[in-house]
Amino acid sequence: MSQLTIRGGSCLGGETEIQGAKNSVLPILAATLLTAGQVELRGCPRLRDVDASIHILRDLGCTARWEGENVLLVDTRNLNGCAVSERLMREMRSSAIFLGAILARCGQAELSYPGGCELGPRPIDLHLSGLRDLGAEIDDAGGVLHCKAPCLQGREIVLSLPSVGATENLMLAACGADGVTTISNAAREPEIVDLQQFLTACGAKVSGAGTSTVSVEGGKPLHGCTYTVMPDRIVTATYLCAAASAGGEIFLQGAREAHLSTVTAVLREAGCSIRSEERGMACVCRDRLTAVRPVRTAPYPGFPTDAQAILMAALLRSRGATVFEENLFASRYRHVDELARMGADIRVSGRVAVVTGIKTLHGAPVRCTDLRGGAALCVAALAAEGETSVREIGHIDRGYEDIAGDLRRLGAEIVRTGD
C-alpha cells in the first residue's frame, strides 16, 4: 500500500508549478458531452478523479487520451449511451455532474448516487429539483436516477443554497434547453467562472458566472475547442500553508491570489509575507506563527471549507489559540485525531474546533481520512520533529497530481513508496 514518508524540521525553499484545478476540470469534462466534437484540454491534472471521469466518458462511447504530460484530448462525437454504472459513479463524489450534460445531449439519463470522500451528507436534492424545474422527469426509486427530458425548457431557478455542484449541473442542462435559463443564488466560485469560459469557447451563450445570477441561453449548437484549465487554488493554499508550517521561502508558478484572498489574508495575519506577481506567488515565513481571529468556513468568497484542515495544520505550532468554525460539512474534523497523534492540541465541540499552539510536534504514523485531511497531515509533518508516515494516500491522489514531487521541489524531505 502506498504511503508518504516525511522528515520534518527543516525550512522550505524552492519553486514549483501549480497544477490545473481539480474542481474546475471535472465539470469541464462533463461539459465536453455537449459539444459532439473534439476538445483539447491543456493543463489537465492527472488525478484519480480525472481518471474516474475519463472512465465514465469512455463507458458512454466517447474517446479520451493523453497527449503529452497534461494535455487531454476528448472526442464525444460517438456518444452511444446515456447510463453510467454504479461502479463508476461510486468512484468520486462529483460524478453527479454528468447528469445535466447527459440529459441535455440525450434527452434521458440513468445514474446511481455518487461516492467519494465521506464528509457527511452532500445531497443532490438541489440538482434534481432544478432539473425538474427545467422539465425533467426523475424517478429515484431504488437508489438509481431514471431521468427523461425530451424537451428541456429554460426558466428562472432560485437555489435555496449557493451549491457549486447544482449551479454547474444546471448550467450544463440549460445549454440544451430551449430559451433562457436564469439561476439565482448561484455559487460564485472561480471554478464556475472557468466552466462559463469553457462553455463560451465552445459556442454557448452564458453570462454572470462569479455573481449570484447566471444566465444561459440554450439551444445553441456547441463545438469543440482548445482550452486551458485554471490553476488549482486549494493546491496553492496547501503549499502556502506548507511554507507557513515549516518556515522558509517558496515560489508557486501560475498561482493566482485573486482566487484565494481569504486564505492569504489569514496567513498574513499569522505572520507570513506573501507577494503576488504576474508569474505567480511568493511566500516567506521566518518566525513562529501567531494565532489568528476566528476562521469560519463559508461559500465563496468566504473562507473555503477545502482549506480549513490545511490551515489548521499550519497553525499547530502558533503562539496562542485559534477558533475554527466549520459551516458547510458536518464531518470535516476527521483529521483531528490523526493530528493529535503528532502532539497537536485541538479540542472539538460540534462545528467548532479550538487549536492551541504548541512548541513542538513529533513525527508519527498517521492515515488519511479524506482528501484535504490527508494534505493537512503532510503540512503538519513538515513542521514535526522526526519522521512521519502518511498512509492510505489514495485520498490525496484524488486531488494532488504529485504532492511528493511538488514538496520535494520546495525543499521538503519526502518520499513516496509502495506504488
Side-chain angles (χ1 to χ4, degrees), residues 181-417:
T181 298
T182 302
I183 306 168
S184 298
N185 197 27
R188 300 165 57 188
E189 273 74 0
E191 292 81 7
I192 302 287
V193 178
D194 212 32
L195 177 59
Q196 173 180 286
Q197 291 174 345
F198 171 77
L199 291 171
T200 300
C202 294
K205 288 194 174 182
V206 186
S207 61
T211 75
S212 58
T213 303
V214 176
S215 179
V216 182
E217 184 178 343
K220 308 295 180 184
L222 303 189
H223 51 75
C225 70
T226 297
Y227 190 78
T228 301
V229 180
M230 64 174 272
D232 196 306
R233 62 192 174 105
I234 305 302
V235 171
T236 300
T238 301
Y239 299 156
L240 291 174
C241 286
S245 178
E249 180 174 356
I250 66 170
F251 188 84
L252 305 177
Q253 301 172 36
R256 302 178 190 171
E257 185 173 7
H259 292 167
L260 69 160
S261 57
T262 52
V263 177
T264 55
V266 174
L267 290 174
R268 286 190 176 101
E269 182 184 349
C272 297
S273 174
I274 298 174
R275 184 186 76 256
S276 292
E277 56 185 68
E278 184 175 351
R279 198 169 66 90
M281 295 173 62
C283 179
V284 180
C285 187
R286 301 295 187 194
D287 301 314
R288 186 180 173 191
L289 301 182
T290 58
V292 298
R293 288 169 289 185
V295 177
R296 298 181 174 90
T297 63
Y300 190 87
F303 191 90
T305 181
D306 279 353
Q308 173 256 109
I310 299 160
L311 176 65
M312 182 182 290
L315 292 172
L316 294 179
R317 295 175 56 251
S318 62
R319 296 185 178 90
T322 298
V323 175
F324 286 81
E325 184 178 321
E326 175 53 57
N327 295 307
L328 299 182
F329 293 122
S331 301
R332 201 117 209 200
Y333 289 136
R334 298 177 66 207
H335 56 282
V336 167
D337 287 344
E338 298 305 307
L339 291 174
R341 293 175 180 271
M342 303 171 71
D345 185 350
I346 307 172
R347 289 174 289 123
V348 176
S349 178
R351 292 185 175 273
V352 175
V354 179
V355 178
T356 302
I358 58 175
K359 288 187 177 181
T360 305
L361 292 171
H362 53 78
V366 294
R367 67 177 186 88
C368 299
T369 56
D370 57 81
L371 169 56
R372 306 306 175 185
L377 296 177
C378 296
V379 168
L382 294 171
E385 293 185 353
E387 191 171 274
T388 298
S389 58
V390 183
R391 300 167 183 169
E392 299 182 31
I393 61 174
H395 289 294
I396 295 177
D397 293 339
R398 288 186 47 242
Y400 295 82
E401 188 171 43
D402 182 14
I403 196 170
D406 284 342
L407 290 175
R408 269 197 305 275
R409 284 184 283 275
L410 295 176
E413 292 187 49
I414 177 171
V415 176
R416 178 174 179 138
T417 56

Side-chain angles (χ1 to χ4, degrees), residues 21 40 65 82 139 159 203 221 258 308 314 387 401 414 419:
E40 180 180 315
R65 62 182 176 85
C82 60
D139 179 3
L159 296 177
Q308 173 256 109
E387 191 171 274
E401 188 171 43
I414 177 171
D419 288 328

Side-chain angles (χ1 to χ4, degrees), residues 3-272:
Q3 71 172 40
L4 297 171
T5 302
I6 302 169
R7 179 165 293 280
S10 301
C11 290
L12 300 185
E15 183 172 319
T16 196
E17 184 174 359
I18 297 300
Q19 69 184 54
K22 163 188 175 287
N23 290 335
S24 184
V25 74
L26 299 182
I28 286 175
L29 286 171
T32 62
L33 292 174
L34 301 173
T35 68
Q38 179 170 287
V39 171
E40 180 180 315
L41 278 183
R42 297 179 178 176
C44 184
R46 291 180 177 251
L47 307 170
R48 277 185 58 190
D49 277 8
V50 169
D51 288 340
S53 293
I54 290 173
H55 292 156
I56 290 174
L57 289 170
R58 289 173 175 166
D59 198 53
L60 294 171
C62 308
T63 62
R65 62 182 176 85
W66 293 99
E67 186 173 274
E69 189 171 346
N70 290 105
V71 177
L72 182 65
L73 299 180
V74 180
D75 192 328
T76 64
R77 283 173 287 195
N78 294 321
L79 175 75
N80 59 17
C82 60
V84 181
S85 70
E86 179 183 10
R87 175 182 60 83
L88 292 176
M89 286 296 293
R90 287 187 176 277
E91 287 188 20
M92 65 175 183
R93 203 68 186 254
S94 56
S95 52
I97 194 63
F98 279 89
L99 178 56
I102 296 174
L103 205 54
R105 174 83 181 269
C106 303
Q108 59 182 328
E110 184 177 304
L111 297 80
S112 65
Y113 281 88
C117 286
E118 297 300 328
L119 299 176
R122 287 204 269 186
I124 61 172
D125 296 358
L126 289 178
H127 304 231
L128 302 184
S129 63
L131 291 171
R132 287 188 174 109
D133 286 342
L134 293 176
E137 298 177 8
I138 303 174
D139 179 3
D140 60 354
V144 177
L145 300 169
H146 301 275
C147 310
K148 292 182 179 180
C151 183
L152 294 171
Q153 185 64 48
R155 59 161 294 175
E156 181 179 2
I157 299 172
V158 180
L159 296 177
S160 58
L161 296 170
S163 162
V164 174
T167 300
E168 293 168 340
N169 233 336
L170 293 175
M171 287 171 67
L172 299 185
C175 286
D178 291 333
V180 176
T181 298
T182 302
I183 306 168
S184 298
N185 197 27
R188 300 165 57 188
E189 273 74 0
E191 292 81 7
I192 302 287
V193 178
D194 212 32
L195 177 59
Q196 173 180 286
Q197 291 174 345
F198 171 77
L199 291 171
T200 300
C202 294
K205 288 194 174 182
V206 186
S207 61
T211 75
S212 58
T213 303
V214 176
S215 179
V216 182
E217 184 178 343
K220 308 295 180 184
L222 303 189
H223 51 75
C225 70
T226 297
Y227 190 78
T228 301
V229 180
M230 64 174 272
D232 196 306
R233 62 192 174 105
I234 305 302
V235 171
T236 300
T238 301
Y239 299 156
L240 291 174
C241 286
S245 178
E249 180 174 356
I250 66 170
F251 188 84
L252 305 177
Q253 301 172 36
R256 302 178 190 171
E257 185 173 7
H259 292 167
L260 69 160
S261 57
T262 52
V263 177
T264 55
V266 174
L267 290 174
R268 286 190 176 101
E269 182 184 349
C272 297

